[in-house]
Amino acid sequence: YHTINGTQVDDFAQNWTAEENGTYDFQVQLYDDDYNLEDEFWIRGVTLNGSSGGGGGGGDEDEWFYSHDHETEDTNGDGEVDTIEISYDPDTTCDCDVDITVYILVYDNETGDLVDWDTFEYTINDGSWDSFSETWTAYDDGTYDFQVDLYDEEDNYEDNFTITGVELSAGDEGGFNQEGGGGGDEDEWFDSWYYETEDTNEDDEDDTIEIGYEPDTTCDCDVDITVYIWVYEAETGDLVDWQTFAYTINGGKLDSFSENWTAYDDGTYDFVVDLYDDDDNYEDGFNITSVELLAGDEGGFNQEGGGEDDDEWFDEWNYDTEDATIDISYDPDTSCDCYIDIEVYVDIFDSETDDHVASLDDDHIIYNEEEDWFVQEWTAGYDGTYDFNVYLYDQEYGHEEDNFWIYDVELAEQNAAPVIDALYVD
């Protein structure tokens, strides 16, 4: 990390020693403090003679903390900070998966007494960005020092850093990774994920990967998340491309998203997908490896591959109820002057508990913007109030196109005439 100011002259240097004789290329990339790629350059064809010994005994790779940070927060709403979050990005010289252990030791700043400690295990790979974080909540008011040690999978000490003089008040429940009594930091994760490849330029060779995922959260509320997708060249480990995608999720409701990436060049690629919450805490991730793609017409994220993927949407929709039954009707359209196969899903939730109650789905064929009304019917198994998430799925290209919600629909067995509750037109 470096700090710069305007156009002042700032000279920095980094060095690297080759373990083997060879000719090497170096890619140097500049990121701002929001991890946006700003500039890069290459140094190619550098011949180096390898150092003898090679990493402390010949077989042991090096691991280190590439960066680290910390911040404090109030988790019980009493106006006093009681918790520290310590984050770090560990790296390794090995172009492989390496298991590491991080020890966090907590000391009383005034007496030097050990107050608490814990260990945390992770898996890292080469120089990929692996950001982890852990929290600790104070048992008592005081000033604390933190020692963070990194050990490799053979229990060799590799690196460390310290944080000193942190003032914290007692939280509701002290210790590592507590929720602060008020549920401060919720958990988010990938409940499921998939990928598939496709040919978007009709040359009979797959050039694009679609990565789909369903993120969930423990919070019964709207949570903003960010998903990072990193693309690496499988053979060299070079970063080829990356992008961030922002979404809003809620509770355990079905929130399915997908993004696609088209290759610039023929090759085999690895993909790292990371999930961060609205406080930029790392929450979850998964890897996809060894995906063979040929160059598409236009490389990058969410290209249309020659314009073959048309848009579909709900032009109009409405619903009506009778006793415990709801009829949901809709008119889907497409920008294609052709017949398109679509599927419409309906996920049904109990409004009071947010529990998923049932699902419906139906296949339809639509043509351009012709008026086509379809209906799906559902009868409640018990008297209650329900929410309905209706979404349109493009079967050919395998992703969601449009959706709408119907909230707080009361369904109950009773003798009443059917009533048109709502009519919506785009």
Side-chain angles (χ1 to χ4, degrees):
Y1 278 92
H2 307 295
T3 301
I4 58 177
N5 189 319
T7 58
Q8 294 180 3
V9 176
D10 302 290
D11 290 327
F12 305 104
Q14 298 189 48
N15 63 66
W16 177 76
T17 301
E19 294 185 0
E20 299 177 358
N21 298 341
T23 301
Y24 298 89
D25 297 335
F26 298 84
Q27 182 185 19
V28 184
Q29 295 180 318
L30 170 65
Y31 290 84
D32 66 16
D33 52 5
D34 291 322
Y35 296 102
N36 299 309
L37 178 64
E38 297 286 349
D39 199 6
E40 67 178 325
F41 64 88
W42 281 85
I43 304 171
R44 299 185 184 274
V46 179
T47 301
L48 298 173
N49 293 322
S51 61
S52 60
D60 181 26
E61 302 285 345
D62 286 330
E63 287 76 38
W64 68 96
F65 289 115
Y66 177 77
S67 63
H68 62 85
D69 198 3
H70 74 278
E71 59 183 18
T72 56
E73 58 183 327
D74 169 23
T75 64
N76 59 7
D78 66 355
E80 302 287 342
V81 295
D82 50 62
T83 297
I84 184 172
E85 180 181 38
I86 304 173
S87 55
Y88 33 81
D89 173 16
D91 279 347
T92 176
T93 55
C94 185
D95 186 16
C96 62
D97 285 342
V98 173
D99 295 326
I100 62 169
T101 302
V102 171
Y103 289 74
I104 301 180
L105 301 97
V106 186
Y107 296 91
D108 184 294
N109 175 266
E110 294 184 2
T111 65
D113 293 340
L114 180 65
V115 176
D116 202 358
W117 69 281
D118 206 346
T119 63
F120 306 93
E121 297 179 351
Y122 314 102
T123 300
I124 61 175
N125 190 306
D126 194 25
S128 299
W129 184 33
D130 301 293
S131 183
F132 306 104
S133 65
E134 308 295 343
T135 65
W136 184 79
T137 302
Y139 298 94
D140 302 296
D141 298 352
T143 303
Y144 299 92
D145 299 334
F146 299 83
Q147 179 177 325
V148 185
D149 296 330
L150 170 61
Y151 287 80
D152 67 14
E153 55 196 0
E154 297 176 351
D155 291 328
N156 299 311
Y157 171 81
E158 296 288 345
D159 197 9
N160 87 313
F161 63 89
T162 57
I163 304 167
T164 59
V166 179
E167 296 184 8
L168 297 174
S169 296
D172 287 348
E173 185 174 356
F176 283 95
N177 295 325
Q178 304 296 339
E179 294 299 326
D185 182 22
E186 302 286 346
D187 287 331
E188 287 76 39
W189 67 95
F190 288 116
D191 186 62
S192 63
W193 60 271
Y194 72 91
Y195 79 92
E196 59 186 9
T197 59
E198 58 183 322
D199 169 25
T200 63
N201 60 6
E202 298 183 348
D203 64 355
D204 295 326
E205 300 287 350
D206 285 352
D207 51 64
T208 296
I209 183 174
E210 180 185 44
I211 303 173
Y213 34 81
E214 183 197 341
D216 274 346
T217 176
T218 54
C219 186
D220 184 17
C221 62
D222 285 344
V223 174
D224 295 325
I225 62 170
T226 302
V227 172
Y228 288 73
I229 301 181
W230 310 84
V231 186
Y232 296 90
E233 211 286 326
E235 294 185 3
T236 66
D238 292 340
L239 180 65
V240 176
D241 203 356
W242 69 286
Q243 185 64 271
T244 63
F245 304 93
Y247 313 104
T248 301
I249 60 177
N250 189 308
K253 294 180 178 179
L254 177 62
D255 299 293
S256 182
F257 308 101
S258 65
E259 308 295 343
N260 64 64
W261 183 80
T262 302
Y264 297 94
D265 302 297
D266 298 355
T268 303
Y269 299 92
D270 297 335
F271 299 83
V272 177
V273 184
D274 293 325
L275 169 61
Y276 287 79
D277 67 12
D278 50 4
D279 291 323
D280 291 327
N281 300 311
Y282 174 83
E283 295 287 346
D284 198 7
F286 61 88
N287 297 337
I288 303 168
T289 59
S290 301
V291 179
E292 295 185 8
L293 298 174
L294 296 189
D297 287 347
E298 184 174 357
F301 282 95
N302 295 327
Q303 304 297 339
E304 296 301 323
E308 295 299 323
D309 184 14
D310 290 282
D311 290 329
E312 286 77 42
W313 65 94
F314 290 114
D315 186 57
E316 300 178 62
W317 59 270
N318 64 32
Y319 69 95
D320 62 80
T321 62
E322 182 177 6
D323 298 337
T325 299
I326 183 172
D327 287 336
I328 302 172
S329 23
Y330 42 83
D331 173 21
D333 283 343
T334 176
S335 58
C336 183
D337 188 16
C338 62
Y339 288 103
I340 294 289
D341 294 323
I342 63 168
E343 190 164 9
V344 174
Y345 292 86
V346 182
D347 281 319
I348 304 161
F349 302 89
D350 187 304
S351 300
E352 300 296 327
T353 65
D354 281 335
D355 290 339
H356 184 264
V357 177
S359 295
L360 308 173
D361 67 271
D362 201 1
D363 297 330
H364 311 297
I365 299 175
I366 60 176
Y367 187 95
N368 198 236
E369 297 185 21
E370 290 184 356
E371 187 173 17
D372 302 293
W373 281 92
F374 305 100
V375 179
Q376 295 197 54
E377 177 185 289
W378 182 73
T379 300
Y382 59 88
D383 295 352
T385 305
Y386 299 90
D387 299 334
F388 300 83
N389 182 19
V390 185
Y391 52 101
L392 187 160
Y393 197 79
D394 183 328
Q395 289 187 330
E396 181 178 5
Y397 286 90
H399 56 78
E400 184 179 331
E401 292 282 353
D402 196 11
N403 84 311
F404 61 87
W405 279 87
I406 304 169
Y407 290 102
D408 299 325
V409 179
E410 295 185 8
L411 298 176
E413 288 292 346
Q414 58 187 356
N415 295 321
V419 177
I420 300 290
D421 294 297
L423 174 65
Y424 298 91
V425 180
D426 281 349

